[in-house]
Amino acid sequence: MEIKKFVFNPFQENTYLVINQSKECLIIDPGCLDQNEKEELANYITENGLTLKRVINTHLHLDHAFGCNFIAQKFGVQTEASKLDEPLLERIRDYATAFGLLPNAVESARLGGHLKGGDVVTLGELSFDVLENPGHSMGGLLFYEKKEGVVFVGDSIFKGSIGRTDLPGGDYHQLIDCLRKNLFSLPKETILYPGHGPSTTVDWERCHNPYLE
């Protein structure tokens, strides 16, 4: 498995491209906003001879969903995410205005499917278990690839910190409980790929994250 990280939009969001042995790929959290960012992501896929199979979102806050419509139009692959977060996508232009962005620069999109805990997202030989992890948003999800020892955690947790819980649908105690349940049951060397900032590990967070002590 190859993981390519792009850092997009004013929120410095991590968009991940996961590539398997057959040069098939999936996108996790397409946050590309301006034309240059959209072209960077699309060109990487086409110039490397990759075939885009899936687009999945850990959650649908605007900085993680700016590129959903572009990817659907460019590659014919719609985003899949939790049904509980779907209203965030439907109102993405309203939220863009609230954050001081020009709403006309943000394209609304529709989900192509719903994901929930217990689902498995496959990409050839790769299998991602879908874990429900609300608290940062109502429909927060984690994507865990056991054989590779990696989990994509969105904004639920960052290195030494956690995602904010003061946005609509956020719940601090729910987030902490879900993180402990979902992450502390994984092998300590499991790598966490967050929606912002550097990667970390389960063991590092267990030992150093003040919110999870």
Side-chain angles (χ1 to χ4, degrees):
M1 179 177 70
E2 177 184 351
I3 300 172
K4 169 67 175 177
K5 182 176 81 172
F6 302 84
V7 180
F8 287 145
N9 70 59
F11 299 93
Q12 296 291 283
E13 178 265 354
N14 294 336
T15 291
Y16 295 100
L17 189 66
V18 178
I19 306 165
N20 70 10
Q21 296 177 354
S22 302
K23 304 194 78 173
E24 298 171 328
C25 65
L26 62 80
I27 298 171
I28 299 176
D29 292 353
C32 47
L33 176 59
D34 64 32
Q35 192 60 34
N36 288 336
E37 292 177 345
K38 293 173 181 177
E39 290 178 0
E40 181 183 0
L41 179 56
N43 289 345
Y44 189 92
I45 293 171
T46 56
E47 290 173 1
N48 286 279
L50 307 177
T51 302
L52 181 63
K53 290 292 190 177
R54 307 282 289 267
V55 181
I56 56 178
N57 268 65
T58 60
H59 65 298
L60 290 171
H61 285 154
L62 77 171
D63 54 326
H64 291 252
F66 284 136
C68 290
N69 185 66
F70 167 73
I71 295 299
Q73 295 296 319
K74 178 71 175 181
F75 295 100
V77 182
Q78 289 183 296
T79 295
E80 301 168 69
S82 169
K83 185 176 183 179
L84 294 175
D85 270 8
E86 196 163 14
L88 298 175
L89 193 61
E90 294 170 349
R91 296 188 59 194
I92 191 169
R93 288 188 172 180
D94 294 336
Y95 291 119
T97 301
F99 277 94
L101 299 172
L102 294 176
N104 290 338
V106 178
E107 299 171 326
S108 58
R110 301 182 66 178
L111 288 182
H114 298 133
L115 297 173
K116 63 184 184 303
D119 288 345
V120 178
V121 175
T122 59
L123 182 71
E125 73 279 6
L126 303 175
S127 296
F128 296 86
D129 293 325
V130 179
L131 310 175
E132 293 182 356
N133 204 96
H136 175 64
S137 74
M138 291 180 63
L141 302 173
L142 312 181
F143 302 121
Y144 173 49
E145 218 299 337
K146 182 178 180 180
K147 290 180 295 184
E148 297 288 338
V150 303
V151 55
F152 295 88
V153 296
D155 288 0
S156 292
I157 186 171
F158 308 117
K159 188 171 185 178
S161 187
I162 60 170
R164 60 188 297 180
T165 57
D166 59 336
L167 297 172
D171 186 312
Y172 174 82
H173 296 290
Q174 184 181 46
L175 178 60
I176 296 300
D177 289 345
C178 287
L179 286 172
R180 287 174 173 156
K181 173 186 174 183
N182 286 323
L183 297 185
F184 286 0
S185 63
L186 303 180
K188 65 180 183 179
E189 65 273 13
T190 303
I191 301 173
L192 313 182
Y193 288 95
H196 304 267
S199 61
T200 182
T201 66
V202 168
D203 189 51
W204 197 96
E205 296 308 317
R206 185 195 295 269
C207 295
H208 300 288
N209 194 313
Y211 296 95
L212 299 179
E213 293 178 346

